Amino acid sequence: MVNMLPNLCSDASVSRYLRARNWNVEKASKMLKESLKWRLEYKPETIRWDDVAHEAETGKIYRADYLDKNGRAVLVMRPGFQNTSSSKGQIRYLVYCMENAIFNLAANQEQMVWLIDFQGWTMGSVSIKVTRETAHILQDYYPERLALGILYNPPRIFESFWKVVRPFLEHKTYKKVKFVYSDNTESQKIMTDLFEMDKLESAFGGHNPAGFDLNKYAEKMKEDDQKMSAFVESEQSHVSVLQPEFSVTEHQLESSSDSSPSSDAESPRRVDTKILSANEMKEQPNCKNTIAESGVSRPLIHMNDFA
């Protein structure tokens, strides 16, 4: 996993963490450091379908076989189809689905859409503990990966649950959540603007009658697992003396789908990020990666923390 750190600290990745913290370098550095420590301990890239297949039996979370009009991956979630009681198992499956969706993103994409179907949902469908942990993982370990979260046909009783959940969400995440109702023409426009209706599942107002097929989905996930394993192995065998210097500029800020800093955050003139390769970091255990802003170097990663 250490060999993958340079990729995790890539230009695009650092940019996401900076945007998530409104371009505050120190906060972004702390966030990235904690995320890397989590990945070293949790090892999300090693989770395989056979480890979580029992969690997927009801189709409570799966990657759709269609994209939105912007070419972004779509994760379908049905919290009313919860079939297990282990919070650890549920979170592990969520992480697996996130890793799989990210792995399948097009080269020019870094975000995904969540379609949350409330069919069969009751107050007993989801625990507060799992909801809090889901928000924590999404916001702290996968920052700026969510483009839009659509809550489709939530029942009226969900309003009470939403009041409890909302404090767990950061303002930027909260603004990405949209409520859509099948009997509301105005909210349905969100779906027609976002999806090709012939591809969208009928459960979300589309014209595609196909639903979740566990056997077909299992085969697709096993194929992806093989690709993921090959990718991880190739990264671990990669030898590089020094990665090139990355820079996060205002041009990149403008090119991201939601990259404009909020009005109360200052946009940096330039943020340069220098990332050492895994081998060099091993040879120099006391070295630091830095984010340099306006000529001032700030510590980003102390490799001793990952020993």
Side-chain angles (χ1 to χ4, degrees):
M1 180 63 190
V2 173
N3 297 69
M4 293 185 68
L5 288 177
N7 279 339
L8 294 173
C9 297
S10 67
D11 184 38
S13 180
V14 170
S15 178
R16 283 194 303 274
Y17 280 84
L18 285 167
R19 296 202 310 269
R21 288 296 175 258
N22 291 323
W23 298 93
N24 183 300
V25 176
E26 292 184 356
K27 290 182 179 180
S29 298
K30 179 181 178 182
M31 187 184 192
L32 178 56
K33 179 178 174 180
E34 291 175 351
S35 182
L36 292 172
K37 290 176 69 174
W38 172 77
R39 294 190 70 89
L40 285 169
E41 295 170 0
Y42 200 85
K43 302 186 187 319
E45 81 289 347
T46 66
I47 304 173
R48 295 294 176 261
W49 173 256
D50 289 339
D51 301 327
V52 295
H54 61 288
E55 292 283 349
E57 291 176 354
T58 59
K60 62 186 178 185
I61 309 177
Y62 61 92
R63 178 170 59 84
D65 58 4
Y66 52 87
L67 308 174
D68 75 349
K69 288 182 178 179
N70 296 304
R72 297 176 296 209
V74 177
L75 274 186
V76 175
M77 301 182 175
R78 292 191 166 95
F81 287 19
Q82 185 57 262
N83 63 323
T84 62
S85 58
S86 170
S87 59
K88 289 184 178 180
Q90 293 166 17
I91 293 298
R92 189 170 176 80
Y93 182 51
L94 171 67
V95 169
Y96 173 80
C97 292
M98 288 293 295
E99 292 288 313
N100 178 266
I102 292 170
F103 184 71
N104 282 280
L105 287 174
N108 63 335
Q109 293 292 343
E110 60 179 6
Q111 293 186 313
M112 66 189 75
V113 175
W114 285 13
L115 280 179
I116 306 175
D117 180 9
F118 280 84
Q119 178 185 352
W121 187 90
T122 67
M123 287 291 284
S125 298
V126 182
S127 72
I128 297 297
K129 178 182 178 181
V130 172
T131 302
R132 183 189 295 112
E133 184 67 12
T134 297
H136 166 59
I137 287 176
L138 171 66
Q139 295 174 145
D140 293 349
Y141 303 145
Y142 297 99
E144 295 301 308
R145 286 298 190 182
L146 179 66
L148 193 65
I150 295 177
L151 307 184
Y152 196 81
N153 279 339
R156 184 174 296 275
I157 194 174
F158 179 75
E159 294 178 6
S160 299
F161 183 76
W162 182 243
K163 291 179 180 178
V164 177
V165 171
R166 184 172 173 177
F168 303 156
L169 303 179
E170 296 176 358
H171 182 66
K172 292 183 71 172
T173 303
Y174 170 76
K175 289 177 63 177
K176 296 177 180 180
V177 177
K178 305 295 181 183
F179 285 73
V180 175
Y181 299 91
S182 57
D183 59 355
N184 184 295
T185 304
E186 184 176 348
S187 68
Q188 272 293 309
K189 190 175 185 300
I190 295 176
M191 305 301 283
T192 57
D193 288 346
L194 194 60
F195 296 100
E196 297 290 348
M197 301 309 286
D198 288 340
K199 298 179 180 179
L200 183 66
E201 296 169 57
S202 56
F204 296 103
H207 305 147
N208 182 0
F212 177 74
D213 186 312
L214 179 60
N215 292 329
K216 290 182 179 179
Y217 192 70
E219 290 302 314
K220 182 167 67 173
M221 291 301 100
K222 289 178 181 179
E223 291 177 3
D224 283 353
D225 284 354
Q226 292 179 354
K227 295 175 184 177
M228 173 66 84
S229 295
F231 172 76
V232 172
E233 290 175 5
S234 68
E235 287 299 307
Q236 290 177 340
S237 62
H238 178 71
V239 178
S240 176
V241 177
L242 184 65
Q243 295 289 340
E245 184 174 282
F246 299 109
S247 64
V248 180
T249 66
E250 291 181 356
H251 172 71
Q252 289 171 295
L253 181 64
E254 295 169 357
S255 65
S256 300
S257 60
D258 62 340
S259 57
S260 297
S262 58
S263 58
D264 59 346
E266 292 185 3
S267 176
R269 292 189 301 275
R270 177 182 175 90
V271 180
D272 293 326
T273 310
K274 190 174 184 180
I275 307 296
L276 297 181
S277 70
N279 286 337
E280 183 164 0
M281 288 189 288
K282 286 180 179 179
E283 294 170 0
Q284 303 180 45
N286 294 320
C287 74
K288 302 176 182 178
N289 289 341
T290 64
I291 290 181
E293 181 181 25
S294 301
V296 179
S297 294
R298 303 171 186 267
L300 174 60
I301 304 168
H302 298 261
M303 290 310 297
N304 285 339
D305 292 336
F306 304 105

